[in-house]
Amino acid sequence: ENDNVFFIFNSFHSSVLNGILEEIIKDSEENFKNPIIILYYPTKKFMKTMEKYNFIINKEIKTKHSVLPSEKFIVYNLNKYS
């Protein structure tokens, strides 16, 4: 009930991610939600953007037959104490 889960694939520019994260954080503060973001196939730029907005890695999950290092899921939680 207090969690909001978002699944993001890096199919857009990282500047778009900035706006999305700002809205997610705003909503979480206004509605006392705990945002969880599942990022699939993360680029280094997306991962840096997540850090910039105080999201911390909760878990990394490799796909079964992954070939590339970025072929994984990363689960992020918002670090509300930073």
Side-chain angles (χ1 to χ4, degrees), residues 28-68:
S28 74
E29 291 169 349
E30 291 174 354
N31 298 299
F32 306 102
K33 299 284 186 178
N34 301 312
I36 298 167
I37 297 179
I38 302 168
L39 189 57
Y40 178 61
Y41 225 100
T43 63
K44 288 182 192 267
K45 198 164 192 172
F46 266 47
M47 292 174 72
K48 290 244 183 239
T49 301
M50 297 298 288
E51 281 180 32
K52 175 179 143 186
Y53 284 94
N54 294 319
F55 281 89
I56 55 174
I57 295 174
N58 181 309
K59 189 175 201 175
E60 287 191 33
I61 305 163
K62 294 269 187 193
T63 59
K64 189 173 184 177
H65 300 287
S66 60
V67 177
L68 301 171

